[in-house]
Amino acid sequence: MPAILAIDASPRGAASHSGQVGRMVLERLLRRSPGARLIVRPVGVEPLPHVDAAYAEALELPEARRTAADRQALARSEELIAELEATDRLLIATPMHNFTVPSALKAWIDHVVRAHRSFALTPHGKQGLLADRPTYVVVSAGGAVSGEGPLQPDFVTPYLRHVLAVIGIRDVRFHVLENLVRGPDAVQTAERRARAWLDEQLPEE
Ligand SMILES: Cc1cc2nc3c(=O)[nH]c(=O)nc-3n(C[C@H](O)[C@H](O)[C@H](O)COP(=O)(O)O)c2cc1C
């Protein structure tokens, strides 16, 4: 049965622009697969703990040498990676915070991007161990990242593209909502562009 994992990294809950477009992606995915299982991780409003010393130490040990305490330290990571393994569509809705991903999303990444578990270290570099799947990433930014005029650097999309590829997820479709703090006209433009992107990625059937 198809299954979808949705990561919502905005702290703003229902008011979130990225979350709103993310929910439109989910609606269209669910319309295509009405029985799909949906797992939602609202990491922006229910933050995951950051990885700690016990996690960092357990990570270094081969499985055979791990104690019960080491396994406990990795339990949350195990749970979050299992969610990725159990799903075949991924949605990430996230604001840009200080040019990059919010720390809430980074905490999720630190739990799921794990050597020997979601990627292997090989003589040719890191190799993803998870199945690729269609992945939709909706980013919202207060300022501009494209077009004319003063632009800011975007460390969100290149970073996510790289880190997802490390674990094996390469089929990633990005959309950036921009200029969201520049008044209602700019918000309307961003919404119109988001709908055009949705129609292109997941046309109404
Ligand atoms: C802590 C923080 C840092 C932010 N940094 C940036 C930034 O670097 N660039 C930008 O364009 N907008 C920045 N913003 C604005 C948000 O990206 C913008 O309001 C976005 O629409 C919020 O997304 P959301 O509605 O999904 O929460 C920042 C907002 C916060 C709260």
Side-chain angles (χ1 to χ4, degrees), residues 22-37:
R23 283 188 288 282
M24 289 159 78
V25 172
L26 286 182
E27 275 165 26
R28 292 196 185 199
L29 289 174
L30 288 168
R31 229 173 284 150
R32 283 173 158 67
S33 311
R37 192 159 80 93

Side-chain angles (χ1 to χ4, degrees), residues 8-13 15-20 93-100 139-145 152-153 177 179-181:
D8 187 345
S10 171
R12 301 193 324 113
S16 156
H17 291 291
S18 54
Q20 282 164 15
T94 182
M96 171 186 283
H97 279 178
N98 295 311
F99 316 112
T100 185
V139 181
S140 52
V145 294
Q152 60 188 334
L177 299 149
N179 295 316
L180 293 172
V181 299

